Amino acid sequence: MSSSTSDKPPGLRTGTLGTADISFFVVSAAAPLTVMAGVAPIALVLGGIGAPAGYLLAGITLAVFAVGFTTMSRHVRSGGAFYAYIAQGLGKPLGIAAALVAMVGYNGMEIGVYGLLGSATSDTAGALGGTDLPWLPIALAGLLVIWYGGYRSIDFGAKVLGVLLVAETGILVLLAGGVLLEGGANGLSLASFAPGNVLVPGTAAVLAFAFSAFTGFESTVIYRREARDPARTIPRATYIAVGFLGLFYAFVVWTVIQAFGDDKVVAAAAGDTGGLFFAAITTYVGPWAADLMHVFIVTSILASLLAFHNAINRYALALSEEGVLPAALGRIHPRHRSPYVAGLAQTVLGAVIVLGFAAAGADPYTQLLLWVNTPGMLGLMALMLLAALAVVRYFRRVPHQEGALRTLVAPGAAAVLLAVAIWLVASKVELFTGASPTVNTVLVAVVPAVLVLGLLLAYRLRRTRPEVYARFAEEPPTDPHAEPPTDPHAEPPGAAHPRPHSQPHLDPHPHPHAEGADPSCPQPPTSSSSTPASVPPSRAATPRSPSATD
C-alpha cells in the first residue's frame, strides 16, 4: 500500500551541508576569540612562554582520536553519533548511559554559557558606553535569539555561523598581523617551542586548559544526515576543525608573547589577565580594534551557543526516534526542516536553569557559567574516551577492510592520551572553577554519577521496554522520514554498503546490527571549547577594553 508524499512527515534537510558548513558549526562551538582573550592569558601565567606548545599537543592528541572516530563514521550511520558508536562497540547498556551523559554534557556546555553571555555583554556595554546592564535580561534575550536560530533551517544557521566565525577569527588575525609587521617587542623568537620552556611543571595546567578549548569539534558526525556525501564530508570537516583550532590557537598565543616579549609577557598576563589581548591590539593596531574585539567576544559567545543548540537538538531527535525520549521531540518543521520541538524544549530547560541561578542570587560567571559548564566539559571528554575504546572493540568483532592503524593503533593511543587529559582536567579543576573543594568534588562527580544512572536506566529499559532496548542504536536502513527510493532495489540514501534485497537469509555474514545479534558496532562547548575556563575573580573571559578606560 502506498501513500502520497504529502502524507509523510517531513525529515531533516538532507544533502545540505558541505565541509565548510559543518566546519563552521564545530569551530564556532569552540569560540576561538573567547578562548584566546579569556583563557590563554591564564595559560601563560601558569605555564609560561611554552603555552603555545600545549595547544599543539592537545590538537595532536585529538587528531589521533579523529582517525578512529572518522573511520567509525563510515560504518555507523546513526544520528546518535557518540552513543551509537559506544553502543555498537561496548554494548547497549553503556550506549544508553553514554546517551544520558551526552545530553547532560551538551546541555551543560550550552546553558552555562548564557551566564557568560550576560556578564560579557554587560561588561562590553559598560566599557564602551558606560551603561550598567543587568545580566539576566541579556541571558533571556539570548535564549530567544538562539531558539530562533535553531528553529530556522540548518543552512540558515551555517550562514550565520560563517559570518560570526569570520569576524572573531579576523580580529585575531588582525592582532597577529600587527605584531608580526612590527616585529614584536624585541624581535620575533621561537623560544616558546624550546624543550626547556615546554617541559616545565606548569605544562600540565596548560594542557588542561588546552584540551578544554577544543570541546565541540567532535560534533561533526551529528550532522551526517544533513551532510552532502557524508562519507567524505564528515572526516574532512573533523580534520579541518581540529587542525585549524590547534594551529590557530598556538599561533595566536605565540604572537601575543611576541607582542610583550618573552621576558615580560608572563608578568603582563599576571598583572592584567583579562586585558592582555586588548592591550596588545591597542598597541599594535589601535584603540578602535580593541573596542571591536570586545564586541566580537559577544558575537563569539552567540555563535558558540547556536552551534551547541543545534547539536543538542539533533541528539534529542535521534533519541526520540530510538523511543528513549518522547516522540514529540522528533517532530520536524515542515518548512525549515529543523527539529523545532526539541529546540523549544531545550530553550525552556535553559530558561529554567538560568532563572533558577538568578533567583538564588548566583553570579552569572563564577557560578552559572563555571559550575554548569565544567561537568559538561568533563562529560564530553569522557564520551571521547569511551568512543575511542568502542572503535577498537568494534573493529575486533566485525569483518572489515580497514587498516590496523585506523582501527587499533590510533584509537588505542587516543584512549590512553584522553585518559591522561581527563585526569589533568579533573586534578586541576580548581583552576577552572575557583570554587571550594566541596563544590569541585560535586562537579567532578556529576559525570560518573550520570553514567551509573544511565546504566541503571538501561537495565530497566531492557526489562520494561524490551522492544525499545532491542532496537536501540541499530543501523537505520535510511532516514526514518526520507522519501522511499523509486526503484525498490535502489540503494537507500546514505547507505555505505548496500546489500541485495532478495534472499537476505542467505547472507553469509549477518549484519552485526540485526535484531538479536550481539551489539558490536560503536558510536558523537570552555569554552570548554565554548566556555572559557578561567580564574573567577579576574573575569578573564570578559575583560574591559583599555581603549574605553584610557
Side-chain angles (χ1 to χ4, degrees), residues 13-249:
R13 197 184 297 275
T14 58
T16 298
L17 301 178
T19 300
D21 298 321
I22 298 175
S23 299
F24 287 152
F25 274 104
V26 297
V27 175
S28 294
L33 176 57
T34 306
V35 167
M36 289 288 93
V39 182
I42 303 170
L44 284 168
V45 172
L46 297 173
I49 65 172
Y55 289 96
L56 285 179
L57 292 172
I60 291 170
T61 297
L62 296 176
V64 173
F65 164 77
V67 173
F69 188 63
T70 56
T71 300
M72 190 67 134
S73 72
R74 295 198 293 265
H75 295 260
V76 179
R77 296 175 290 109
S78 168
F82 265 148
Y83 79 71
Y85 287 19
I86 294 166
Q88 299 293 354
L90 302 178
K92 291 184 180 181
L94 263 179
I96 293 171
L100 191 59
V101 171
M103 291 300 293
V104 171
Y106 277 103
N107 274 286
M109 292 299 298
E110 184 196 12
I111 294 172
V113 182
Y114 284 107
L116 176 61
L117 175 65
S119 61
T121 306
S122 179
D123 287 353
T124 296
L128 303 183
T131 304
D132 184 16
L133 297 178
W135 72 270
L136 181 58
I138 298 170
L140 295 177
L143 279 159
L144 293 177
V145 170
I146 299 305
W147 164 80
Y148 180 74
Y151 171 78
R152 291 292 300 272
S153 62
I154 191 69
D155 51 332
F156 171 83
K159 291 181 176 67
V160 171
L161 291 179
V163 172
L164 298 181
L165 183 60
V166 168
E168 66 175 300
T169 55
I171 197 70
L172 289 171
V173 170
L174 185 64
L175 165 61
V179 173
L180 295 178
L181 286 175
E182 293 197 24
N186 306 309
L188 303 181
S189 165
L190 295 177
S192 292
F193 304 100
N197 292 321
V198 175
L199 302 177
V200 296
T203 300
V206 173
L207 285 171
F209 281 103
F211 277 107
S212 71
F214 287 81
T215 310
F217 90 93
E218 75 293 331
S219 60
T220 52
V221 293
I222 297 175
Y223 301 101
R224 179 185 179 92
R225 283 159 59 176
E226 295 157 290
R228 296 193 295 267
D229 191 9
R232 294 185 179 184
T233 302
I234 298 301
R236 287 174 181 172
T238 304
Y239 286 120
I240 287 173
V242 70
F244 171 80
L245 290 173
L247 294 172
F248 190 67
Y249 286 153

Side-chain angles (χ1 to χ4, degrees), residues 167 208 307 427:
S427 64

Side-chain angles (χ1 to χ4, degrees), residues 440-537:
N440 288 333
T441 300
V442 172
L443 295 178
V444 172
V446 167
V447 174
V450 171
L451 196 62
V452 171
L453 182 63
L455 289 171
L456 295 176
L457 173 64
Y459 295 130
R460 184 176 184 275
L461 196 64
R462 184 170 64 182
R463 185 177 66 255
T464 60
R465 301 174 66 192
E467 72 288 349
V468 172
Y469 181 86
R471 68 172 183 265
F472 181 81
E474 294 297 322
E475 280 294 89
T478 183
D479 185 331
H481 300 304
E483 299 293 334
T486 304
D487 181 355
H489 301 291
E491 175 185 353
H497 303 288
R499 293 184 297 165
H501 289 266
S502 61
Q503 297 180 319
H505 57 285
L506 298 179
D507 187 350
H509 301 289
H511 196 285
H513 312 299
E515 184 171 346
D518 196 7
S520 55
C521 190
Q523 201 302 289
T526 97
S527 206
S528 63
S529 131
S530 84
T531 320
S534 68
V535 177

Side-chain angles (χ1 to χ4, degrees), residues 335-435:
R335 177 183 175 189
H336 300 304
R337 299 292 190 89
S338 60
Y340 71 106
V341 176
L344 180 62
Q346 200 283 327
T347 301
V348 171
L349 174 64
V352 168
I353 294 177
V354 168
L355 289 171
F357 271 80
D363 184 88
Y365 184 89
T366 61
Q367 293 173 313
L368 175 54
L369 168 66
L370 301 179
W371 290 12
V372 175
N373 195 240
T374 298
M377 174 183 64
L378 287 169
L380 296 190
M381 293 181 73
L383 288 175
M384 284 193 280
L385 171 59
L386 289 174
L389 295 172
V391 171
V392 174
R393 191 156 187 256
Y394 170 70
F395 285 111
R396 297 304 94 195
R397 299 173 63 186
V398 300
H400 63 87
Q401 295 181 338
E402 306 286 356
L405 176 63
R406 290 179 171 274
T407 61
L408 178 62
V409 178
V416 173
L417 294 171
L418 285 166
V420 172
I422 292 171
W423 175 79
L424 285 174
V425 173
S427 64
K428 305 290 182 181
V429 70
E430 71 279 358
L431 299 177
F432 291 85
T433 65

